[in-house]
Amino acid sequence: MSNLKVAIVPVTPFEQNASIIWDTETMKAAIVDPGGDLPRLIAAAKELKVTPEKILITHGHIDHAGGAAELAETLKIPVEGPHIGDKAMLEGLPAQGQKFGIDGVRSLTPDRWLAEGDTVTVGNLSFDVLHVPGHAPGHVVFVHQPSEFALVGDTVFQGSVGRTDLPGGDHALLIKGIKEKLLPLGDDFAVLPGHGPATTLGREKASNPFLV
C-alpha cells in the first residue's frame, strides 16, 4: 500500500481543484496549486493534521498560482514549479488578477523551477516531473508511480483537454504531450485534473473526443 493521501480543496470562483497531498508515514504535506481561498486551505491542512512543507505549482495561470506567494510567506515554505516557460506568466499574475477583477494578487518567483525528468519529494514520497506544455508553456505534471496517480493540472480532463486559446497555448503540442507522455503511464493511472472530477487515463484514451 502506498503512503500517499490526497485531499481536494476546491478554491475560487474558478472552482479549481487545489489539493493537499501528504505522506502518511511522516504527515508532511504539499499544497498543490493554491489559486486562492488561502484560509480554507490552511484550515484543511490543520484538520488533516498534516504539516505543509512546500507548495507545488503545475502552471502559471491565476486560478492555480494566484495565492502561492502569499501562502508561501504565511507558512514560510518554498514553492517548487512550474517549468521556467511560465516565468512571464508568474511575473504577470497581478495583471491576470486585474483582468478578472481580483485585487491583491502577487507575482511569484518559485524557489525551484522544474524540468522534465526532475523529481519532487513530499515527506518520503517521490514524484516524477513531466513537462507537458500546450495549455501553458511551462505546465508540469506530478506523477507518483507507486500509487499510479498523477496531478495533471489543466492538461487532460474527464472528457476534455485544457483550453489552448490563451497566450502561449498550442493545441497540437498539448495533444502530443498527452499522447506521448501521459497515456503511456497506463490505463489504470488515476489522474486529478485542475477542474472537475478525477478520471483514469484508460477512460480518457477510450472515450475522450480529443484523444480518440
Side-chain angles (χ1 to χ4, degrees), residues 136-194:
H139 200 303
V140 296
V141 167
F142 300 104
V143 178
H144 190 245
Q145 292 280 0
S147 300
E148 296 190 308
F149 172 78
L151 295 150
V152 296
D154 289 357
T155 55
V156 63
F157 302 108
Q158 186 182 99
S160 190
V161 297
R163 59 187 292 187
T164 54
D165 58 338
L166 301 168
D170 185 326
H171 183 76
L173 187 62
L174 175 61
I175 300 301
K176 183 174 187 285
I178 294 170
K179 288 184 173 181
E180 294 183 359
K181 295 184 180 181
L182 299 186
L183 295 185
L185 292 171
D187 289 354
D188 293 335
F189 246 80
V191 294
L192 177 63

XYZ file of all heavy atoms in Angstrom, residues 136-194:
434
model
N -0.277 25.792 -21.180
C 0.640 26.854 -20.765
C 2.055 26.373 -21.092
O 2.342 25.175 -20.999
C 0.500 27.151 -19.270
N 2.946 27.292 -21.470
C 4.298 26.875 -21.914
C 5.088 26.115 -20.858
O 5.900 25.252 -21.196
C 4.979 28.202 -22.268
C 3.865 29.156 -22.523
C 2.736 28.740 -21.630
N 4.849 26.437 -19.574
C 5.633 25.818 -18.515
C 4.889 24.782 -17.704
O 5.294 24.460 -16.579
N 3.804 24.240 -18.240
C 2.955 23.314 -17.486
C 3.711 22.026 -17.156
O 4.316 21.411 -18.027
C 1.708 22.980 -18.298
C 0.568 22.456 -17.480
N 0.681 21.343 -16.670
C -0.699 22.897 -17.336
C -0.472 21.124 -16.074
N -1.329 22.053 -16.459
N 3.659 21.627 -15.890
C 4.231 20.355 -15.462
C 3.160 19.470 -14.844
O 2.103 19.949 -14.395
C 5.407 20.534 -14.467
C 6.570 21.264 -15.130
C 4.955 21.247 -13.202
N 3.444 18.178 -14.832
C 2.571 17.163 -14.250
C 3.390 16.404 -13.203
O 4.573 16.131 -13.405
C 2.069 16.206 -15.353
C 1.421 14.961 -14.770
C 1.107 16.939 -16.286
N 2.754 16.066 -12.082
C 3.421 15.354 -10.990
C 2.907 13.912 -10.936
O 1.708 13.682 -10.763
C 3.162 16.054 -9.655
C 3.653 17.476 -9.615
C 2.749 18.534 -9.716
C 5.004 17.760 -9.513
C 3.199 19.855 -9.688
C 5.464 19.069 -9.488
C 4.562 20.124 -9.581
N 3.817 12.947 -11.074
C 3.450 11.540 -11.217
C 3.990 10.743 -10.036
O 5.199 10.745 -9.770
C 4.032 10.965 -12.528
C 3.694 9.476 -12.647
C 3.515 11.733 -13.738
N 3.095 10.038 -9.341
C 3.518 9.130 -8.271
C 3.328 7.703 -8.764
O 2.220 7.148 -8.722
C 2.716 9.379 -6.993
C 3.262 8.642 -5.813
N 2.577 7.643 -5.155
C 4.465 8.732 -5.180
C 3.312 7.170 -4.168
N 4.460 7.808 -4.162
N 4.415 7.111 -9.233
C 4.339 5.790 -9.855
C 3.810 4.703 -8.913
O 2.967 3.892 -9.319
C 5.725 5.395 -10.403
C 6.199 6.228 -11.577
C 5.572 5.806 -12.900
O 4.778 4.872 -12.949
N 5.915 6.511 -13.958
N 4.256 4.636 -7.651
C 3.789 3.530 -6.795
C 2.273 3.521 -6.594
O 1.680 2.458 -6.396
C 4.517 3.773 -5.468
C 5.724 4.579 -5.839
C 5.288 5.449 -6.976
N 1.642 4.697 -6.645
C 0.193 4.785 -6.455
C -0.574 4.773 -7.767
O -1.809 4.784 -7.751
C -0.169 6.080 -5.705
O 0.431 6.131 -4.446
N 0.153 4.826 -8.887
C -0.486 5.012 -10.194
C -1.437 6.206 -10.150
O -2.627 6.120 -10.457
C -1.215 3.743 -10.648
C -0.278 2.563 -10.879
C -0.976 1.400 -11.558
O -2.036 0.982 -11.047
O -0.479 0.921 -12.588
N -0.856 7.348 -9.779
C -1.634 8.577 -9.594
C -0.831 9.758 -10.108
O 0.388 9.830 -9.910
C -1.950 8.783 -8.106
C -2.587 10.106 -7.795
C -3.936 10.309 -8.043
C -1.838 11.148 -7.267
C -4.524 11.543 -7.766
C -2.417 12.381 -6.991
C -3.765 12.578 -7.236
N -1.518 10.682 -10.766
C -0.850 11.883 -11.253
C -1.728 13.111 -11.060
O -2.955 13.065 -11.219
C -0.491 11.739 -12.737
N -1.083 14.211 -10.701
C -1.711 15.536 -10.658
C -1.431 16.178 -12.006
O -0.287 16.534 -12.297
C -1.122 16.361 -9.516
C -1.404 15.815 -8.114
C -0.278 16.182 -7.159
C -2.730 16.356 -7.597
N -2.465 16.328 -12.830
C -2.247 16.696 -14.230
C -2.615 18.137 -14.554
O -2.513 18.557 -15.713
C -2.989 15.732 -15.181
C -2.416 14.326 -15.051
C -4.499 15.740 -14.923
N -3.031 18.923 -13.542
C -3.351 20.319 -13.816
C -4.380 20.439 -14.920
O -5.369 19.696 -14.966
N -4.135 21.364 -15.858
C -5.099 21.605 -16.929
C -4.637 21.004 -18.252
O -4.809 21.600 -19.316
C -5.343 23.108 -17.088
C -6.127 23.694 -15.926
O -6.531 22.940 -15.030
O -6.324 24.930 -15.913
N -4.039 19.803 -18.195
C -3.665 19.128 -19.440
C -4.845 18.307 -19.948
O -5.363 18.549 -21.038
C -2.429 18.226 -19.241
O -2.668 17.292 -18.160
C -1.198 19.059 -18.930
N -5.284 17.333 -19.162
C -6.396 16.480 -19.568
C -7.466 16.485 -18.483
O -7.151 16.495 -17.287
C -5.910 15.039 -19.876
C -5.324 14.371 -18.633
C -7.020 14.192 -20.482
N -8.719 16.524 -18.912
C -9.867 16.471 -18.003
C -10.711 15.251 -18.344
O -10.501 14.603 -19.375
C -10.750 17.721 -18.167
C -10.043 19.011 -17.929
C -9.739 19.863 -18.992
C -9.673 19.411 -16.658
C -9.092 21.073 -18.790
C -9.028 20.614 -16.434
C -8.736 21.442 -17.507
N -11.694 14.978 -17.501
C -12.658 13.940 -17.855
C -13.440 14.429 -19.083
O -14.189 15.391 -19.022
C -13.613 13.662 -16.704
C -14.549 12.491 -16.960
C -15.525 12.269 -15.827
O -16.676 12.685 -15.887
N -15.058 11.611 -14.770
N -13.190 13.788 -20.219
C -13.912 14.107 -21.444
C -13.429 15.334 -22.193
O -14.052 15.744 -23.178
N -12.326 15.928 -21.777
C -11.853 17.133 -22.450
C -10.356 17.294 -22.231
O -9.703 16.452 -21.619
C -12.619 18.365 -21.937
O -12.336 19.501 -22.724
N -9.821 18.406 -22.762
C -8.421 18.765 -22.545
C -8.359 20.249 -22.231
O -9.340 20.975 -22.375
C -7.547 18.440 -23.785
C -7.533 16.944 -24.056
C -8.002 19.222 -25.012
N -7.179 20.719 -21.810
C -7.009 22.110 -21.460
C -7.239 23.036 -22.649
O -6.900 22.692 -23.790
N -7.796 24.202 -22.379
C -8.006 25.173 -23.452
C -6.660 25.699 -23.930
O -5.703 25.794 -23.157
C -8.906 26.316 -22.988
C -8.382 27.090 -21.807
C -9.412 28.093 -21.308
N -9.632 29.177 -22.277
C -10.387 30.255 -22.001
N -10.983 30.363 -20.818
N -10.529 31.202 -22.901
N -6.595 26.018 -25.207
C -5.322 26.451 -25.791
C -5.458 27.788 -26.515
O -4.604 28.148 -27.319
C -4.773 25.385 -26.765
O -5.781 25.067 -27.738
C -4.394 24.115 -26.009
N -6.532 28.530 -26.202
C -6.744 29.832 -26.835
C -6.192 30.977 -25.988
O -6.394 32.144 -26.310
C -8.230 30.051 -27.107
C -9.086 29.979 -25.845
O -8.635 29.363 -24.850
O -10.204 30.521 -25.853
N -5.481 30.645 -24.925
C -4.856 31.652 -24.067
C -3.430 31.911 -24.546
O -2.866 31.110 -25.293
C -4.846 31.158 -22.613
C -6.221 30.853 -22.015
C -6.086 30.110 -20.697
C -7.020 32.142 -21.820
N -2.814 33.027 -24.138
C -1.430 33.301 -24.561
C -0.502 32.129 -24.242
O -0.527 31.590 -23.133
C -1.058 34.539 -23.745
C -2.368 35.237 -23.514
C -3.372 34.137 -23.334
N 0.304 31.725 -25.227
C 1.214 30.601 -25.036
C 0.591 29.255 -25.290
O 1.250 28.224 -25.160
N -0.702 29.234 -25.669
C -1.384 27.975 -25.911
C -1.012 27.372 -27.256
O -0.723 28.089 -28.218
N -1.032 26.045 -27.328
C -0.696 25.334 -28.559
C -1.408 23.979 -28.512
O -0.959 23.057 -27.829
C 0.817 25.157 -28.678
C 1.256 24.526 -29.997
O 0.521 23.668 -30.523
O 2.347 24.868 -30.472
N -2.524 23.881 -29.238
C -3.362 22.681 -29.142
C -2.615 21.431 -29.593
O -2.652 20.391 -28.914
C -4.636 22.857 -29.969
C -5.575 21.695 -29.870
N -6.375 21.482 -28.755
C -5.838 20.668 -30.726
C -7.080 20.377 -28.933
N -6.785 19.872 -30.121
N -1.932 21.519 -30.731
C -1.221 20.341 -31.246
C -0.154 19.865 -30.271
O 0.035 18.659 -30.071
C -0.600 20.668 -32.606
N 0.537 20.819 -29.646
C 1.583 20.460 -28.682
C 0.983 19.799 -27.445
O 1.545 18.837 -26.905
C 2.357 21.732 -28.294
C 3.591 21.550 -27.416
C 4.649 20.704 -28.118
C 4.175 22.922 -27.037
N -0.181 20.292 -27.004
C -0.839 19.702 -25.840
C -1.256 18.261 -26.129
O -0.984 17.356 -25.320
C -2.065 20.534 -25.442
C -2.919 19.962 -24.305
C -2.119 19.839 -23.019
C -4.164 20.815 -24.091
N -1.901 18.037 -27.255
C -2.348 16.687 -27.599
C -1.148 15.748 -27.731
O -1.182 14.596 -27.268
C -3.177 16.694 -28.894
C -4.427 17.578 -28.725
C -3.561 15.283 -29.304
C -5.356 17.158 -27.606
N -0.078 16.239 -28.343
C 1.139 15.440 -28.482
C 1.678 15.036 -27.105
O 2.051 13.881 -26.870
C 2.194 16.242 -29.251
C 3.497 15.505 -29.548
C 4.387 16.377 -30.446
C 5.623 15.630 -30.926
N 6.635 15.474 -29.868
N 1.719 15.993 -26.172
C 2.222 15.709 -24.829
C 1.362 14.708 -24.080
O 1.873 13.808 -23.400
N 0.038 14.841 -24.209
C -0.865 13.905 -23.543
C -0.661 12.499 -24.094
O -0.551 11.523 -23.337
C -2.333 14.348 -23.713
C -2.586 15.674 -22.963
C -3.283 13.268 -23.203
C -3.932 16.306 -23.272
N -0.588 12.397 -25.421
C -0.490 11.082 -26.044
C 0.876 10.435 -25.841
O 0.978 9.211 -25.693
C -0.802 11.187 -27.538
C -2.281 11.436 -27.826
C -2.566 11.433 -29.314
C -4.067 11.508 -29.587
N -4.376 11.484 -31.039
N 1.936 11.257 -25.816
C 3.289 10.695 -25.730
C 3.814 10.573 -24.301
O 4.699 9.752 -24.041
C 4.257 11.538 -26.570
C 3.971 11.477 -28.065
C 4.969 12.256 -28.890
O 5.889 12.879 -28.302
O 4.828 12.266 -30.128
N 3.273 11.381 -23.372
C 3.814 11.370 -22.011
C 2.819 10.866 -20.961
O 3.215 10.170 -20.021
C 4.303 12.769 -21.619
C 5.475 13.254 -22.461
C 5.991 14.594 -21.977
C 7.171 15.063 -22.825
N 7.716 16.362 -22.344
N 1.541 11.194 -21.112
C 0.572 10.815 -20.081
C -0.056 9.453 -20.350
O -0.016 8.571 -19.488
C -0.515 11.884 -19.939
C -0.034 13.274 -19.530
C -1.225 14.198 -19.269
C 0.850 13.220 -18.294
N -0.618 9.243 -21.541
C -1.300 7.982 -21.806
C -0.395 6.768 -21.626
O -0.862 5.728 -21.129
C -1.917 7.992 -23.208
C -3.051 9.007 -23.436
C -3.650 8.824 -24.827
C -4.131 8.906 -22.372
N 0.898 6.844 -21.976
C 1.763 5.675 -21.759
C 1.978 5.308 -20.293
O 2.509 4.226 -20.006
C 3.091 6.096 -22.417
C 2.718 7.129 -23.425
C 1.584 7.877 -22.791
N 1.575 6.166 -19.361
C 1.696 5.807 -17.948
C 0.854 4.573 -17.625
O 1.162 3.841 -16.679
C 1.270 6.982 -17.057
C 2.178 8.213 -17.074
C 1.526 9.379 -16.331
C 3.546 7.892 -16.469
N -0.220 4.354 -18.384
C -1.024 3.149 -18.181
C -2.488 3.448 -17.961
O -2.852 4.480 -17.387
N -3.341 2.534 -18.415
C -4.789 2.737 -18.341
C -5.295 2.868 -16.912
O -6.315 3.515 -16.659
C -5.514 1.572 -19.025
C -5.355 1.579 -20.535
O -4.778 2.559 -21.065
O -5.809 0.612 -21.180
N -4.626 2.214 -15.970
C -5.117 2.208 -14.589
C -4.731 3.458 -13.812
O -5.158 3.628 -12.663
C -4.595 0.978 -13.843
C -5.179 -0.313 -14.390
O -6.283 -0.263 -14.975
O -4.530 -1.364 -14.246
N -3.914 4.320 -14.412
C -3.480 5.529 -13.713
C -4.669 6.436 -13.424
O -5.425 6.800 -14.330
C -2.452 6.296 -14.562
C -1.091 6.345 -13.945
C -0.229 5.272 -14.048
C -0.655 7.467 -13.229
C 1.038 5.304 -13.487
C 0.597 7.500 -12.659
C 1.455 6.420 -12.789
N -4.848 6.803 -12.172
C -5.838 7.810 -11.794
C -5.209 9.193 -11.919
O -4.052 9.384 -11.559
C -6.305 7.577 -10.359
N -5.971 10.131 -12.462
C -5.451 11.483 -12.630
C -6.417 12.491 -12.037
O -7.640 12.369 -12.195
C -5.161 11.810 -14.117
C -4.030 10.928 -14.639
C -6.390 11.652 -14.995
N -5.865 13.475 -11.339
C -6.661 14.573 -10.788
C -6.407 15.812 -11.626
O -5.318 16.377 -11.602
C -6.285 14.841 -9.327
C -7.030 16.025 -8.691
C -8.534 15.766 -8.650
C -6.493 16.317 -7.290
N -7.408 16.245 -12.398
C -7.253 17.466 -13.183
C -7.441 18.714 -12.320
O -7.861 18.643 -11.157
C -8.376 17.360 -14.224
C -8.978 15.988 -14.059
C -8.666 15.570 -12.668
N -7.169 19.857 -12.953
C -7.323 21.124 -12.252
C -8.766 21.552 -12.060
O -9.044 22.445 -11.254
